[in-house]
Amino acid sequence: MFSILMLYPRITMWCIVVFLTLKTAYGLLASRTPVVILPGFGNDSIDYIAPFGETENGLVAVLRRRGLDVSVLPVKRTEWIRVAGGLADPSFYSSKQLAEGIAYGWYVKRARESIEEAATRSDSKVLVVAHSAGGWLARAALAECSGSVDTLVTLGAPHFPPPDRSSCATRGALASVDNRFPGAVFPSVRYVTVAGDFTGNKGLEEVYSRRGEGSVERVSVTNYEAVGGRGDMRGDGVIPIEFAHLEGAKQVTLEGVGHSINEAGTTSPSKKWYGSEEVVDSWLEFCGIEREELNKFRSLMGNLYGLAGLAHLADCLLGDSVLLRQSGGLAFEDMIPAGKAAALIWCGAGPVAFLGSKVGGRAADLTLIFYGLVEVVGAGLLSGDACFKAVGVQVIVAASYFYSTGKLGIKNTERN
């Protein structure tokens, strides 16, 4: 059997290449990154699925268009009345509630279960996207499911209680989370905190004026005083920037981005909130998604190049130099020493690219580029036709690479 494979190395190589390509393509389609969205205080799951009936503008649709497997923590707007159950907790009156207590425990437990279910279903770690109060509640949930989470990204989340703890609406629950799970506390989890620096617009000024609420600045000042104890801060209109970031996290502040899903005073989804089509990529790039997809591409090309190099080496040393002769060159045994050295470098570039792809990052890119250059130069030394074909292959590879990184401005579509 082995002798037959050696007699037809090119056929063997392409059979292997086709098998690996199909296998890898299936893997790319089947193993989408799981995402769990945690709603903010007072929000309903539907706000992220179809805000105001507009499914295409929901955060779920926006993320699915980027190839992610998205689910939302099931929460009904009316369920938030359960927070009032904290009145039955003696620690409410001393501002020493716990996030796992009567008021918020139902949310924390459900968040943990949803994260673990998504991780089990996909057999991979989860990207948790937590909006507003969902952010600090997610920190509590991670206490028992951090092993199932790859990244926690919080969008406009109030991570700290106000200086006057007695004025905190959570009556100690938020403070307890920050005391027990400070900053990016779990080393296995990538933390990304996103804040908005929103100064409003003329349309909002008119809306607030009609409602007798004054200016955007006045409304923001009121919110910042409630959350941070001072009104002279900048933020997303609800949460001050300095309260939205955690120590040790990747801190992303987005200019002109507001807190709420809807345009203030309207029933229209906002185009400038954290989850809108125009904004999502500004923070998603820090969540490991791009790196994961790009490394899959690097691994695929490294495997193919490695196999090609070994097959060509076997063809040169044990076979009939099919590739060299079909490209217009001499058989390996008929080459001068310099020609043989060049052919061996060409063969060796494949395994080098394979090893580089396993390292990942810049090493993978450099070794893949090295293989491409060796292939084009080597083909050019054989014939113009071979060079033309080699250049064509490398153009396709380069286009695929840039597609994987998003540098061509092409967004991944949902894959079913």
Side-chain angles (χ1 to χ4, degrees):
M1 181 66 178
F2 180 75
S3 60
I4 294 176
L5 295 179
M6 289 300 98
L7 285 173
Y8 302 101
R10 196 163 181 79
I11 294 175
T12 302
M13 181 193 73
W14 283 113
C15 288
I16 296 173
V17 165
V18 169
F19 170 75
L20 283 178
T21 301
L22 292 175
K23 183 176 183 296
T24 304
Y26 175 79
L28 288 171
L29 293 175
S31 59
R32 296 183 295 168
T33 300
V35 178
V36 174
I37 298 173
L38 302 185
F41 184 86
N43 284 115
D44 190 296
S45 303
I46 198 66
D47 297 338
Y48 304 87
I49 299 171
F52 309 102
E54 299 185 23
T55 304
E56 287 303 303
N57 289 321
L59 178 56
V60 169
V62 170
L63 294 175
R64 283 180 176 169
R65 283 195 287 272
R66 286 151 176 81
L68 304 176
D69 179 16
V70 188
S71 60
V72 185
L73 179 71
V75 176
K76 294 295 183 182
R77 211 176 311 279
T78 53
E79 286 189 276
W80 289 102
I81 193 64
R82 298 176 68 172
V83 172
L87 292 169
D89 186 345
S91 61
F92 173 91
Y93 301 97
S94 58
S95 292
K96 293 182 179 179
Q97 284 195 118
L98 297 177
E100 301 84 355
I102 298 174
Y104 299 99
W106 61 275
Y107 185 105
V108 173
K109 179 176 182 291
R110 193 179 301 176
R112 183 186 307 129
E113 291 172 347
S114 293
I115 291 168
E116 291 177 338
E117 190 278 329
T120 301
R121 183 184 69 245
S122 62
D123 193 28
S124 62
K125 290 189 175 185
V126 178
L127 164 60
V128 178
V129 178
H131 177 221
S132 196
W136 68 266
L137 289 167
R139 294 165 63 194
L142 258 60
E144 294 187 24
C145 66
S146 62
S148 299
V149 176
D150 177 79
T151 302
L152 168 63
V153 54
T154 63
L155 310 176
H159 285 301
F160 313 103
D164 179 6
R165 299 294 178 92
S166 65
S167 67
C168 180
T170 71
R171 305 299 290 181
L174 174 53
S176 75
V177 169
D178 190 50
N179 290 334
R180 290 180 294 150
F181 315 114
V185 64
F186 297 108
S188 64
V189 177
R190 179 191 295 109
Y191 286 76
V192 180
T193 53
V194 187
D197 189 358
F198 182 68
T199 56
N201 58 52
K202 184 177 180 180
L204 289 183
E205 294 286 355
E206 294 174 353
V207 169
Y208 286 132
S209 179
R210 285 199 308 271
R211 298 194 314 200
E213 297 179 60
S215 64
V216 172
E217 181 180 2
R218 179 62 257 170
V219 174
S220 298
V221 165
T222 300
N223 291 330
Y224 299 157
E225 287 176 343
V227 174
R230 299 190 348 255
D232 59 338
M233 294 186 281
R234 300 183 69 86
D236 62 9
V238 176
I239 307 300
I241 294 173
E242 60 193 80
F243 277 71
H245 288 315
L246 288 173
E247 183 178 354
K250 173 62 182 178
Q251 300 180 1
V252 182
T253 300
L254 305 176
E255 184 177 354
V257 172
H259 185 86
S260 300
I261 296 173
N262 63 299
E263 294 284 3
T266 74
T267 56
S268 300
S270 172
K271 294 183 178 180
K272 294 294 288 184
W273 88 282
Y274 300 108
S276 61
E277 184 75 47
E278 294 82 355
V279 176
V280 160
D281 291 327
S282 299
W283 52 263
L284 191 61
E285 65 176 297
F286 300 106
C287 298
I289 302 302
E290 180 182 277
R291 181 163 60 252
E292 178 182 342
E293 296 303 317
L294 185 55
N295 276 336
K296 287 179 181 178
F297 172 79
R298 288 165 171 157
S299 180
L300 169 63
M301 296 312 302
N303 290 338
L304 297 182
Y305 285 167
L307 283 169
L310 293 176
H312 294 331
L313 180 63
D315 187 29
C316 288
L317 300 180
L318 304 174
D320 298 325
S321 302
V322 175
L323 174 65
L324 295 174
R325 290 189 291 105
Q326 287 186 348
S327 300
L330 298 173
F332 181 77
E333 61 184 13
D334 297 329
M335 288 181 167
I336 62 174
K340 290 182 178 180
L344 291 176
I345 291 174
W346 191 346
C347 295
V352 169
F354 171 79
L355 293 175
S357 71
K358 301 312 169 188
V359 175
R362 182 167 295 182
D365 292 340
L366 291 176
T367 53
L368 293 176
I369 291 172
F370 172 69
Y371 179 92
L373 290 174
V374 170
E375 182 174 83
V376 170
V377 172
L381 293 174
L382 294 174
S383 69
D385 181 61
C387 183
F388 177 78
K389 291 178 180 178
V391 170
V393 169
Q394 293 308 313
V395 167
I396 293 173
V397 172
S400 300
Y401 174 90
F402 286 120
Y403 174 83
S404 296
T405 62
K407 291 180 180 178
L408 290 180
I410 304 172
K411 292 185 175 68
N412 291 329
T413 56
E414 182 180 359
R415 296 167 286 186
N416 295 311

